[in-house]
Amino acid sequence: MKAITQAVIDNKADLGIIFDTDVDRSAAVDSTGLEFNRNRLIALMSAIVLEEHPGTTIVTDSVTSDGLTTFIEKKLGGKHHRFKRGYKNVIDEAIRLNSVGEESHLAIETSGHGALKENHWLDDGAYLMVKILNKIASARASGQTGGSKVLTGLLEGLQEPAFSVELRLKINQSHQDLKGGSFRDYGEAVLKHLENYIDSDPKLQKAPVNYEGVRVSGYGGWFLLRLSLHDPVLPLNIEAPSNNDAVLLGNVVRAALKEFPALDTSALDKFVQAS
């Protein structure tokens, strides 16, 4: 992203687009160097798709921000269906929703994986970028100037967190606290304990609809602790209005997890102590 941003600025380009090596993930950069990735890319694609299919459901992975939900539902008039990590999970969920009568035209992850119903739900980064290029081209054809400003304008009203962090808490599979069980069983026990712990704190609120891990709002922000799809790791995502608010959320998780000695919380400890 840093390289493509610099190339756009150096060449006074209207837009920069970037792919991973097999072109199933993509992102873009506007003429000022503003990155369209993660929540911003989802917001931009949602704006384009909802112009074509008003009211449709946008399916995303679990780590999208609360500000994105507000943007999709209040500004764009769509529905945000926050599901699980894993691009296949997100795509399969969009297909399932359509099969039960809930219209969905976009399934997209914060990683840059995205698929559209009109493109047969193919995980195709190039197709996403063509949709974005078409938006610029149609704006130019109708007499609008300013290159990628039409894209930046579509993001007006998107609230973005002042602070966000992802920490990875590893499960030591050889620790005696696992009692011969699997890391998955241990991770599920951690999540269950955290869920019960949250119930006792009136300042915190569990997400009313949640498909993965434990997602909690409080102190103006939110956190999500979930079990990795494949590894003995519990990723912790925190977003908040300030570093201090993020630390308050981090301390909640830290206090709840101290009863699990097989869980390496050093990354979380370092985060709350350094802040």
Side-chain angles (χ1 to χ4, degrees):
M1 290 308 296
K2 190 176 177 184
I4 192 73
T5 299
Q6 194 59 52
V8 167
I9 292 167
D10 290 348
N11 291 281
K12 298 183 173 57
D14 286 326
L15 188 75
I17 57 177
I18 185 169
F19 305 102
D20 68 347
T21 49
D22 58 350
V23 200
D24 58 4
R25 294 193 296 139
S26 56
V29 180
D30 81 357
S31 55
T32 68
L34 179 77
E35 295 177 1
F36 297 125
N37 62 359
R38 299 187 63 80
N39 284 291
R40 273 189 214 143
L41 180 61
I42 297 172
L44 179 58
M45 285 305 303
S46 298
I48 291 169
V49 168
L50 278 156
E51 281 183 354
E52 299 169 353
H53 305 283
T56 198
T57 295
I58 309 296
V59 181
T60 73
D61 61 341
S62 58
V63 299
T64 48
S65 71
D66 288 346
L68 179 68
T69 304
T70 302
F71 182 75
I72 290 171
E73 298 193 342
K74 301 286 192 285
K75 171 86 190 293
L76 302 178
K79 181 180 175 187
H80 182 197
H81 184 85
R82 189 189 286 119
F83 197 55
K84 300 176 182 176
R85 287 286 278 194
Y87 70 91
K88 194 165 187 322
N89 287 331
V90 173
I91 292 169
D92 286 349
E93 180 67 0
I95 293 168
R96 185 192 71 78
L97 289 176
N98 280 290
S99 75
V100 296
E102 182 172 339
E103 184 188 81
S104 176
H105 286 269
L106 174 65
I108 186 166
E109 263 205 313
T110 44
S111 63
H113 284 283
L116 288 118
K117 184 180 182 183
E118 69 186 54
N119 193 34
H120 312 287
W121 296 117
L122 293 174
D123 181 31
D124 186 347
Y127 197 88
L128 292 190
M129 292 302 107
V130 168
K131 295 290 285 186
I132 287 171
L133 289 167
N134 278 346
K135 189 68 188 169
I136 295 179
S138 62
R140 182 169 290 179
S142 66
Q144 293 180 49
T145 56
S148 57
K149 282 183 182 170
V150 64
L151 304 178
T152 315
L154 289 174
L155 296 185
E156 193 179 323
L158 175 65
Q159 298 166 348
E160 299 191 72
F163 186 89
S164 93
V165 66
E166 179 172 295
L167 305 167
R168 294 173 69 78
L169 314 182
K170 294 178 183 172
I171 298 170
N172 179 355
Q173 296 183 83
S174 58
H175 197 285
Q176 61 185 19
D177 199 44
L178 267 72
K179 301 180 177 68
S182 70
F183 78 80
R184 189 156 290 281
D185 290 341
Y186 195 80
E188 294 291 354
V190 170
L191 293 174
K192 187 67 187 164
H193 179 78
L194 176 61
E195 205 167 358
N196 294 335
Y197 183 90
I198 296 307
D199 287 338
S200 65
D201 190 334
K203 293 196 237 29
L204 302 170
Q205 185 178 9
K206 280 189 301 194
V209 180
N210 187 48
Y211 296 93
E212 184 171 43
V214 180
R215 186 176 177 119
V216 174
S217 298
Y219 303 108
W222 60 272
F223 71 76
L224 172 70
L225 186 70
R226 61 187 174 84
L227 189 55
S228 168
L229 296 174
H230 308 293
D231 303 316
V233 172
L234 288 157
L236 172 64
N237 292 83
I238 302 175
E239 286 191 0
S242 71
N243 186 68
N244 287 343
D245 292 317
V247 168
L248 289 171
L249 289 168
N251 274 323
V252 168
V253 179
R254 194 175 175 220
L257 302 189
K258 64 178 186 290
E259 297 180 31
F260 292 88
L263 193 61
D264 178 5
T265 60
S266 56
L268 177 57
D269 298 339
K270 187 176 175 184
F271 168 66
V272 298
Q273 287 161 2
S275 301

